[in-house]
């Protein structure tokens, strides 16, 4: 599907800025990040910035083509062919391109098999990825062709064709030169009991991987992508350098996903929006993704940016949510969670933080999705209903304090400290809660420690952003009980909800999938482990000499590997 809903606005720009000058073709491209990637471990992918870099250093079988908004073959020679086996299995037939690692060794099907098995090795901290790709149960090698293999998948979901290729492929030989992992089937590793110690060969491999520490020393596990780490100054900047020799340069005509035009990509970490906007106006920054609504509006209204900046806007798949820690005694019943959900004024928050852009939603799908349940009402701001639900849940207001047995309803809200939208949500919620007699403390937390705090369950309520895409409907990593302590920060999960999520991830018939996804959205409203607030819009500003941007609602919102400096600014995009 083509993302032709994007608009490009070349408008009046920022007074007081110096005039943009032509950049040399080999000049670095400087991109704003709001936080540090923390780790570049391809098996963990701890945040979106890490994913951005990993996708440039380690290629997957398939990656996003930002020109079309679809997944396209990268290491794979073509999209896999699909064969349904019986009524419960899918076979995906893959052929690899003639790609090589930096040492000249070919990328083979055995590398893909190794990566999948490594992903499922016990004691690696990657439960989210492990859960997400658990539908792949076996990889069948072709003895006659080392670049040909078949993935055997449990279930018949149509999105398996694309989702099955969306993980970085790692080289087998540097980590497992004796091929010790080949003695284990993928299913054996997936089904390994948590109470049983790993096999010695597996434990030794995990230890080698952890000692290599690819998250902080990616040079020890070089990928087959076109870029390598040149410099990384924590919480300040990260620089990627294009490899001088890369297998993709041999292709006579490279598709978009195999182009690597910038010689150097510099990611500048500027947590403060005002500082990032000033850097853009001073030409110390070339591309600024996800500009805040107010800064975007101010830049558009200034006097000279029509000569300097290009502005892009459109819908995204990112949803702002408030999550409840269901492991806390006060939040273990759905009536209390429903009550607190009624204290978020999503309509006013959307208008106030996004200035009319974006959209409200009933769940974790945007209203534009064909699977959106439009029969459900949008969550309403209803303090009186919140009070009624609290009483129904057994809470009583005694001496101005809500109590239930030995419990007292008083808690805190965690959110990323440098995010204005999250802070506004927390402030509105605190005011609404105070009006009905519930004390709420705010706990703005630095990004570097917030993820671990959420993973450890060290919060009561959190405000955060969930990133989505139109390719897959796999909610196992964020809501399944087996993902608690990893991607499932709320701790929610019941046998019924687990079965529903598993069915959604595996179902093949579109009609059946639509029914299950509508049931999922109904379940979310009823159980209320989280409160979906609104779908964010996407806004990007870039130097007008920068072309081949391909703005998109898909992360990271632009095509970093195709960015090119033009000799003259483009009059339009």
């Amino acid at each position: 599907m083509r993302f032709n809903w994007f608009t490009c606005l070349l408008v009046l720009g920022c007074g007081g800025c110096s005039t943009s000058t032509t950049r040399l073709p080999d000049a670095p491209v400087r991109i704003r990040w709001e936080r540090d990637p923390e780790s570049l471990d391809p098996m963990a992918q701890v945040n979106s910035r890490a994913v951005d870099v990993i996708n440039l250093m380690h290629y997957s079988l398939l990656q996003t083509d930002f020109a079309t908004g679809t997944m396209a073959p990268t290491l794979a020679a073509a999209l896999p062919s699909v064969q349904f086996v019986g009524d419960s299995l899918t076979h995906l037939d893959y052929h690899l391109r003639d790609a090589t690692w930096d040492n000249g060794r070919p990328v083979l099907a055995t590398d893909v098999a190794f990566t999948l098995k490594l992903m499922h090795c016990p004691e690696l901290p990657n439960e989210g990825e492990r859960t997400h790709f658990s539908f792949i149960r076996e990889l069948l090698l072709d003895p006659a062709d080392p670049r040909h293999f078949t993935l055997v998948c449990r279930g018949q979901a149509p999105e398996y064709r694309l989702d099955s290729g969306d993980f970085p492929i790692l080289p087998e030989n540097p980590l497992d030169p004796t091929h010790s992992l080949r003695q284990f089937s993928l299913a054996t590793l997936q089904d390994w009991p948590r109470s049983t110690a790993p096999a010695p060969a597996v434990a030794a491999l995990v230890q080698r991987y952890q000692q290599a520490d690819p998250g902080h020393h990616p040079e020890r596990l070089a990928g087959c992508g076109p870029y390598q780490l040149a410099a990384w100054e924590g919480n300040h900047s990260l620089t990627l350098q294009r490899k001088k020799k890369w297998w993709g340069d041999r292709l006579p005509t490279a598709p978009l996903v195999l182009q690597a035009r910038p010689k150097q990509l510099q990611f500048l970490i500027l947590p403060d929006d005002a500082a990032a906007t000033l850097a853009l106006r001073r030409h110390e920054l070339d591309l600024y993704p996800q500009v805040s609504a107010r800064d975007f509006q101010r830049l558009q209204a200034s006097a000279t940016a029509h000569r300097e900046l290009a502005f892009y806007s459109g819908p995204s798949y990112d949803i702002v949510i408030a999550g409840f820690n269901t492991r806390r005694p006060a939040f273990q019943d759905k009536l209390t969670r429903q009550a607190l959900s009624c204290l978020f004024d999503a309509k006013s928050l959307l208008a106030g933080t996004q200035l009319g852009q974006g959209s409200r939603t009933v769940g974790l799908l945007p209203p534009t999705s064909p699977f959106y349940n439009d029969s459900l009402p949008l969550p309403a701001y209803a303090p009186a209903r919140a009070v009624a639900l609290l009483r129904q849940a057994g809470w009583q207001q005694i001496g101005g304090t809500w109590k239930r047995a030995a419990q007292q309803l008083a808690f805190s809200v965690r959110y990323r400290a440098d995010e204005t939208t999250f802070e506004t949500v927390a402030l509105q919620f605190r005011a609404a809660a105070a009006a009905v007699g519930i004390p709420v403390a705010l706990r703005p937390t630095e990004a570097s420690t917030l993820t671990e705090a959420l993973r450890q369950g060290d919060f009561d309520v959190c405000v955060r952003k969930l990133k989505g895409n139109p390719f897959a409907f796999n909610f196992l990593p964020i809501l399944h009980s087996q993902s608690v302590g990893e991607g499932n920060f709320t701790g929610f999960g019941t046998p019924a909800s687990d079965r529903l999520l598993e069915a959604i991830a595996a179902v093949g018939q579109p009609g059946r999938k639509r029914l299950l996804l509508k049931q999922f959205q109904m379940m979310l409203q009823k159980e209320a482990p989280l409160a979906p607030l609104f779908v964010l819009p996407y806004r990007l500003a870039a130097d007008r000499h920068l072309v081949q941007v391909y703005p998109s609602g898909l992360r990271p919102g632009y095509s970093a590997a195709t960015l090119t400096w033009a000799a003259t600014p483009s009059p339009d995009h």
Side-chain angles (χ1 to χ4, degrees):
M1 116 185 103
R2 183 174 296 275
F3 283 66
N4 53 10
W5 36 255
F6 255 95
T7 60
C8 173
L9 308 171
L10 300 178
V11 300
L12 297 178
C14 46
C17 298
S18 60
T19 303
S20 178
T21 57
T22 302
R23 302 291 296 276
L24 295 175
D26 289 345
V29 179
R30 300 163 300 180
I31 301 169
R32 187 258 182 151
W33 272 349
E34 80 281 10
R35 61 178 292 194
D36 193 84
E38 301 175 22
S39 169
L40 302 182
D41 187 340
M43 284 286 102
Q45 305 189 41
V46 297
N47 59 43
S48 297
R49 273 60 52 191
V51 173
D52 297 348
V53 174
I54 290 166
N55 284 342
L56 293 164
M57 297 172 64
H58 299 270
Y59 268 170
S60 302
L61 298 171
L62 312 173
Q63 293 189 196
T64 302
D65 182 330
F66 289 98
T68 62
T70 60
M71 297 291 282
T74 310
L75 288 180
L79 292 177
S81 61
V82 181
Q83 180 183 2
F84 296 125
V85 180
D87 58 2
S88 61
L89 295 177
T90 302
H91 283 188
L92 300 173
D93 197 64
Y94 275 98
H95 290 266
L96 295 174
R97 294 184 189 272
D98 187 15
T100 58
W101 303 105
D102 290 351
N103 60 7
R105 294 178 65 96
V107 178
L108 302 176
T110 48
D111 293 309
V112 182
F114 168 77
T115 303
L116 281 169
K117 291 179 181 180
L118 178 64
M119 183 190 300
H120 290 89
C121 280
E123 298 189 0
L124 277 182
N126 63 330
E127 187 63 40
E129 294 296 297
R130 192 179 306 162
T131 302
H132 185 88
F133 292 101
S134 61
F135 65 88
I136 303 174
R137 296 291 290 175
E138 188 177 4
L139 186 147
L140 303 176
L141 298 171
D142 182 351
D145 185 352
R147 286 192 170 95
H148 175 222
F149 63 92
T150 300
L151 296 179
V152 180
C153 304
R154 179 172 52 196
Q156 297 186 334
E159 55 264 31
Y160 284 175
R161 190 183 190 212
L162 303 181
D163 208 20
S164 64
D166 191 18
F167 58 92
I169 305 304
L170 304 182
E172 179 184 32
N173 283 342
L175 284 171
D176 192 14
T178 63
H179 303 158
S180 61
L181 209 55
R182 292 188 184 184
Q183 63 184 295
F184 302 96
S185 71
L186 177 59
T188 296
L189 293 169
Q190 289 174 326
D191 299 336
W192 199 275
R194 295 192 177 189
S195 58
T196 303
V202 174
L205 176 61
V206 170
Q207 184 179 27
R208 287 197 298 273
Y209 186 86
Q210 292 172 336
Q211 289 175 343
D213 191 16
H216 299 94
H217 296 280
E219 73 280 359
R220 297 174 181 172
L221 190 64
C224 60
Y227 290 93
Q228 59 190 4
L229 184 67
W232 183 8
E233 186 178 347
N235 294 313
H236 182 266
S237 65
L238 184 147
T239 301
L240 293 180
Q241 188 74 36
R242 196 187 190 281
K243 295 175 181 176
K244 293 182 180 180
K245 293 183 179 180
W246 175 58
W247 65 270
D249 293 332
R250 301 194 303 265
L251 297 174
T253 303
L256 189 78
V257 292
L258 288 174
Q259 295 178 17
R261 295 175 179 173
K263 298 296 183 183
Q264 192 176 88
L265 291 164
Q266 295 178 354
F267 298 94
L268 307 182
I269 300 166
L270 300 167
D272 183 72
D273 288 346
T277 301
L278 183 61
L280 182 69
R281 294 174 60 157
R282 290 178 172 174
H283 309 294
E284 298 165 356
L285 196 64
D286 305 313
L287 189 145
Y288 184 171
Q290 201 50 45
V291 185
S292 71
R294 296 193 185 282
D295 287 337
F296 198 72
Q297 187 180 68
R298 291 189 190 103
L299 285 171
Q300 287 179 309
S302 62
T304 58
H306 68 284
R307 295 193 303 270
E308 299 177 350
L309 299 174
F311 296 89
Y312 309 86
S313 64
S316 80
Y317 298 92
D318 297 346
I319 299 177
V320 175
I321 63 104
F324 302 106
N325 187 349
T326 63
R327 290 160 289 192
R328 295 281 199 257
F331 302 143
Q332 287 179 353
D333 66 284
K334 62 186 177 184
L335 290 176
T336 299
R337 300 193 297 264
Q338 289 175 12
L340 297 177
S341 297
C342 292
L343 298 178
F344 289 99
D345 190 352
K347 181 178 180 180
S348 297
L349 287 168
L350 177 62
T353 63
Q354 307 305 316
L355 304 182
Q357 293 183 306
S359 59
R360 297 178 62 198
T361 179
V362 301
L364 297 183
L365 298 178
T368 53
S369 170
F371 302 105
Y372 183 76
N373 192 343
D374 56 8
S375 67
L376 293 175
L378 287 168
Y381 174 57
R385 175 165 170 74
V387 170
L389 286 168
L390 286 175
R391 289 175 176 153
Q392 190 177 344
W395 296 94
Q396 294 182 334
Q397 206 166 14
I398 302 172
T401 301
W402 287 95
K403 295 182 178 180
R404 182 173 62 183
Q407 299 174 21
Q408 180 175 324
L409 195 57
F411 51 87
S412 63
V413 178
R414 272 194 189 266
Y415 55 93
R416 202 176 73 216
D418 51 20
E419 176 53 69
T420 303
T421 295
F422 298 165
E423 181 181 36
T424 303
V425 171
L427 287 168
Q428 181 274 314
F429 178 72
R430 182 178 68 174
V436 296
I438 304 172
V440 172
L442 302 188
R443 296 185 66 187
T445 306
E446 292 298 322
S448 58
T449 59
L450 179 60
T451 301
E452 187 59 25
L454 298 181
R455 185 177 289 118
Q456 296 296 328
D458 184 16
F459 74 99
D460 299 319
V461 179
C462 67
V463 179
R464 58 189 294 256
K465 178 171 60 179
L466 289 181
K467 290 184 172 291
N469 68 66
F471 307 133
F473 301 96
N474 187 346
F475 299 100
L476 296 172
I478 61 171
L479 285 170
H480 197 279
S481 61
Q482 290 188 357
S483 299
V484 174
E486 289 292 331
N488 183 355
F489 296 153
T490 66
F492 175 77
T494 67
S497 67
D498 284 352
R499 287 193 298 270
L500 178 58
L501 295 176
E502 291 163 3
I504 291 171
V507 68
Q509 297 179 342
R512 177 65 177 162
K513 180 176 289 291
R514 183 174 292 106
L515 176 63
L516 291 175
L517 282 167
K518 288 191 173 184
Q519 290 177 2
F520 167 65
Q521 293 165 84
M522 291 174 61
M523 180 272 291
L524 271 187
Q525 282 205 353
K526 180 180 178 182
E527 296 290 343
L530 54 85
L533 301 179
F534 48 84
V535 182
L536 287 166
Y538 185 78
R539 295 174 291 266
L540 180 147
D543 189 303
R544 282 188 59 184
H545 289 88
L546 201 60
V547 296
Q548 307 296 334
V549 177
Y550 297 109
S552 170
L554 297 169
R555 71 181 188 193
Y558 56 92
S559 177
T562 60
L563 294 170
T564 307
W565 288 110
T568 58
S570 173
D572 208 339
H573 286 257

